[in-house]
């Protein structure tokens, strides 16, 4: 069985502060991990995927197989980063999403 | 190009009635997913289609829920005898292929309210 846990439903930081959105997963095989984001009144969209090892909008995420984690990080949060963030695991044909974390960046 | 579209955007129905939700995936995408997004909860997988293979229905919450995909393109999610707990946003997504590593493109969702 595959499982994704995002322990924080809500996360609030001040503009310019570092932010880390936590994601832990459970999967017996070799997982593909993603972060999706949903800005207010917009559709859910891909932010980044671990196989690309890229930085998008200043966000990075490193897959830690030992800790089974895929935390999303940004060194300096911006107000426009306020959104709902979902961690997702793709194993085989199915994708499993976490419950999401609502990030609020205060001015 | 055109993204994933869903209709209707909003649907209000009375308890006990049947509803049909429609999804038009991105042209050429062979994989299509349905999810349910409830307030305060994450995305709940419902069903997935890949090409001509039998759909993975493992996420459907009850036999009141069914879905079909005609001609490998448009998909319809049907909920029979709706209940208040069915109220949620129903999201459709498509990807060029199923499986790991392939980005899912989401539609805007259908907000279903059962009164």
């Amino acid at each position: 069985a595959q499982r994704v846990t995002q322990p924080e439903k809500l996360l609030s930081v001040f503009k310019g502060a570092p932010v880390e959105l936590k994601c832990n997963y459970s999967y017996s095989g070799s997982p593909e991990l993603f972060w999706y984001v949903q800005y207010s009144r917009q559709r859910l969209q891909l932010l980044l995927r671990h196989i690309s090892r890229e930085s998008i909008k200043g966000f990075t995420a490193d897959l830690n197989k030992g800790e089974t984690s895929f935390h999303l990080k940004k060194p300096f949060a911006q107000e426009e980063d306020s959104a709902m963030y979902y961690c997702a695991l793709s194993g085989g044909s199915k994708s499993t999403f976490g419950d999401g974390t609502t990030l609020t960046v205060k001015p | 190009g055109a993204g994933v579209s869903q209709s209707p955007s909003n649907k209000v129905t009375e308890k006990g009635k049947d509803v049909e939700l429609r999804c038009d995936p991105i042209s050429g995408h062979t994989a299509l997913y349905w999810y349910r997004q409830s307030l305060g909860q994450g995305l709940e997988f419902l069903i997935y289609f890949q090409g001509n293979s039998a759909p993975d229905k493992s996420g459907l919450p009850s036999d009141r829920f069914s879905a079909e995909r005609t001609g490998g393109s448009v998909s319809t999610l049907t909920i029979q005898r709706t209940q208040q707990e069915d109220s949620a946003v129903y999201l459709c997504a498509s990807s060029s292929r199923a499986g790991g590593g392939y980005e899912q493109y989401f539609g805007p969702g259908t907000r279903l309210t059962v009164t």
Side-chain angles (χ1 to χ4, degrees), chain A residues 8-102:
Chain A
E8 304 136 329
K9 276 195 179 297
L10 303 170
L11 185 61
S12 183
V13 300
F14 284 101
K15 176 183 171 182
V19 63
E20 180 180 67
L21 290 85
K22 291 185 169 52
C23 172
N24 288 89
Y25 68 89
S26 173
Y27 183 62
S28 56
S30 187
E32 300 281 355
L33 276 299
F34 303 79
W35 277 97
Y36 283 81
V37 62
Q38 187 168 29
Y39 300 103
S40 179
R41 299 188 191 86
Q42 294 188 28
R43 59 183 71 188
L44 197 58
Q45 60 187 289
L46 179 70
L47 179 62
L48 55 79
R49 67 191 87 186
H50 92 271
I51 57 172
S52 301
R53 301 186 65 82
E54 57 196 346
S55 172
I56 303 293
K57 299 184 178 182
F59 284 98
T60 58
D62 291 320
L63 177 60
N64 186 323
K65 291 188 178 180
E67 295 182 357
T68 59
S69 68
F70 188 57
H71 304 326
L72 182 68
K73 300 177 185 177
K74 184 169 182 176
F76 307 104
Q78 302 301 312
E79 289 179 68
E80 56 265 30
D81 296 328
S82 296
M84 171 78 102
Y85 292 80
Y86 289 96
C87 181
L89 180 155
S90 187
S93 57
K94 194 167 146 181
S95 290
T96 300
F97 286 75
D99 286 346
T101 297
T102 301

Side-chain angles (χ1 to χ4, degrees), chain B residues 21 106 110:
Chain B
L21 313 180
F106 284 83
T110 293

Side-chain angles (χ1 to χ4, degrees), chain B residues 12-64:
Chain B
V12 180
T13 189
E14 292 179 353
K15 177 182 171 181
K17 295 282 179 68
D18 298 351
V19 294
E20 282 190 354
L21 313 180
R22 178 187 167 105
C23 171
D24 282 88
I26 292 173
S27 178
H29 278 191
T30 60
L32 186 148
Y33 304 79
W34 282 99
Y35 296 92
R36 180 165 68 176
Q37 186 179 35
S38 303
L39 190 63
Q41 303 203 5
L43 287 176
E44 177 187 4
F45 165 78
L46 297 177
I47 187 170
Y48 127 85
F49 298 88
Q50 167 58 39
N52 295 321
S53 303
D56 178 349
K57 304 180 183 180
S58 60
L60 294 179
S62 77
D63 58 8
R64 296 187 295 105

